[in-house]
Amino acid sequence: MARLHESFEAGAARGMLALPAALLRLMAGKPVVRDGQTLDVQCQLLLKIMRMRGVRLGGGDVEQQRRQMVAQSGTLAPRARGPIAVRDLVVAGAEGALAARAYRPEGADGAAILFYHGGGFVLGDLESHDGVCRALADRTRATVIAVDYRRAPEHGAPAAPRDAIAAFRDIVNRADNLGLDARQIAVAGDSAGANLAAVVAQQAKGDAKPPCAQLLFYPVVDFAEDKPSKDRLAEGFFLEKASMDWFEERYLPAGCDKRDPMVSPLYGELAGAAPAIVITAGFDPLRDEGEAYAAALKTAGVDTVCRRETGLLHGFANFAGGVERANEALTHAANDLRARLTAVV
């Protein structure tokens, strides 16, 4: 019965967001403009639906928040256009085995993407980002391997980045057995997962076979200093400052050095890191720090593409099954990454 309800809810949400533009605007209300950008009308209506249903990110009981994220994950998740072979794996973490899941599209070559899910280092798992991983595999024609790293508050920093690094090195070492080319393994993630991908790109850059590319969707990269967008977009756009404070309190141990590159990759040694694709969202409190990271990468001589998706929200990759501009942004990013993967050989 729960699955039937979820299926009905997903269909209703997709149907509402697919209404003609005039009806969408009528239902969403007056256009929202910030920093010279206009919020995408589908995103605006989605926010209205979330508020009506009491959906919020972070706050309250951790386990309840985790269940809510998984329950909501399939509602507007992007879809793969072709068949994807999915199998569960076990990969090495820093202090033991981690669950992982491999997504292999038809016609895949040896290229692979190690994907770290978002969720503020507290929420998210293999299920919450299943749709994103399927879509990314489909659109890059590469095998995606999602890693279920240790989460806070049970395991605070630096457990997650240590797991992320260990998992990358384990996949590289097992590449032949997995049918992968160790030279063509990229790292990717969204939000907190993008933080982990950035850390791996820095920490593994001196490896014999480092990441060949990094794809960062709306990354959190700076716990030490708040950039202007955190204040200008502090409320009303899904990820809020209160949410970020809640995540930080659970992720960072007391007395933690917030400029430690394992926590805030903006303060790391960036020179020599893998070519980067940094995607930010115009209505995301993390927008400015993501763009500051891209600028720092460029200054350090790293080949970097930075693109702001002006009308979109934090978390848009998970909405790409219902929000047209989010779907276009996900496809564009996947195409960029595919170009990086194929340039290696």
Side-chain angles (χ1 to χ4, degrees):
M1 183 65 77
R3 287 189 177 183
L4 181 61
H5 175 73
E6 289 170 13
S7 177
F8 176 79
E9 186 177 79
R14 289 175 193 265
M16 187 175 295
L17 292 175
L19 290 170
L23 281 177
L24 285 173
R25 173 52 64 202
L26 183 64
M27 295 175 70
K30 182 181 177 181
V32 175
V33 180
R34 295 284 176 88
D35 296 340
Q37 307 166 127
T38 301
L39 182 63
D40 175 76
V41 66
Q42 287 181 308
C43 285
Q44 188 177 341
L45 180 57
L46 180 59
L47 285 173
K48 190 172 185 179
I49 294 169
M50 288 178 176
R51 285 192 291 269
M52 291 172 61
R53 298 189 63 254
V55 175
R56 61 192 302 264
L57 189 60
D61 179 72
V62 168
E63 289 302 324
Q64 181 180 9
Q65 281 286 313
R66 287 173 175 170
R67 289 192 297 271
Q68 177 180 283
M69 188 170 195
V70 172
Q72 293 293 324
S73 65
T75 304
L76 296 173
R79 294 169 171 170
R81 296 165 294 193
I84 305 290
V86 181
R87 66 180 177 121
D88 291 333
L89 299 175
V90 174
V91 299
E95 296 185 8
L98 302 172
R101 186 174 294 167
Y103 302 81
R104 188 176 180 88
E106 281 190 348
D109 52 20
I113 303 159
L114 205 57
F115 185 86
Y116 306 103
H117 65 77
F121 307 96
V122 176
L123 314 179
D125 57 18
L126 297 181
E127 297 302 327
S128 66
H129 285 65
D130 181 78
V132 173
C133 289
R134 288 175 187 268
L136 195 58
D138 178 66
R139 298 174 201 196
T140 60
R141 314 313 301 162
T143 298
V144 172
I145 300 176
V147 177
D148 206 15
Y149 56 86
R150 288 175 293 167
R151 299 175 297 184
E154 297 90 341
H155 304 280
R162 290 180 62 218
D163 278 349
I165 296 164
F168 171 77
R169 288 174 172 158
D170 183 44
I171 294 298
V172 168
N173 290 335
R174 296 163 56 195
D176 287 345
N177 291 336
L178 294 170
L180 306 176
D181 184 341
R183 300 169 301 167
Q184 288 183 283
I185 300 179
V187 290
D190 68 310
S191 193
N195 171 291
L196 300 181
V199 169
V200 175
Q202 290 182 27
Q203 300 296 320
K205 66 183 180 181
D207 290 5
K209 289 175 180 156
C212 69
Q214 52 181 316
L215 170 59
L216 314 178
F217 286 104
Y218 29 86
V220 51
V221 292
D222 186 2
F223 281 101
E225 296 183 11
D226 287 350
K227 302 294 188 289
S229 60
K230 274 194 177 178
D231 292 326
R232 289 201 293 263
L233 301 168
E235 295 181 352
F237 300 104
F238 184 51
L239 178 65
E240 300 185 333
K241 191 174 188 306
S243 312
M244 292 181 281
D245 291 344
W246 186 84
F247 289 128
E248 181 177 329
E249 288 168 5
R250 282 148 188 81
Y251 179 57
L252 297 186
C256 173
D257 178 5
K258 293 184 179 182
R259 283 181 166 79
D260 182 344
M262 290 284 281
V263 169
S264 296
L266 181 62
Y267 301 98
E269 175 52 59
L270 307 184
I277 303 160
V278 181
I279 310 298
T280 64
F283 286 80
D284 179 3
L286 295 177
R287 180 193 70 204
D288 289 355
E289 69 186 76
E291 292 172 6
Y293 190 62
L297 286 167
K298 291 179 181 179
T299 299
V302 177
D303 184 5
T304 303
V305 170
C306 182
R307 185 165 55 254
R308 180 190 294 187
E309 301 293 351
T310 56
L312 296 182
L313 305 165
H314 186 87
F316 70 72
N318 292 82
F319 310 148
V323 176
E324 292 177 13
R325 288 185 63 182
N327 187 53
E328 292 167 0
L330 180 60
T331 299
H332 197 173
N335 291 341
D336 285 345
L337 182 55
R338 181 62 198 174
R340 297 288 190 189
L341 291 167
T342 55
V344 176
V345 293

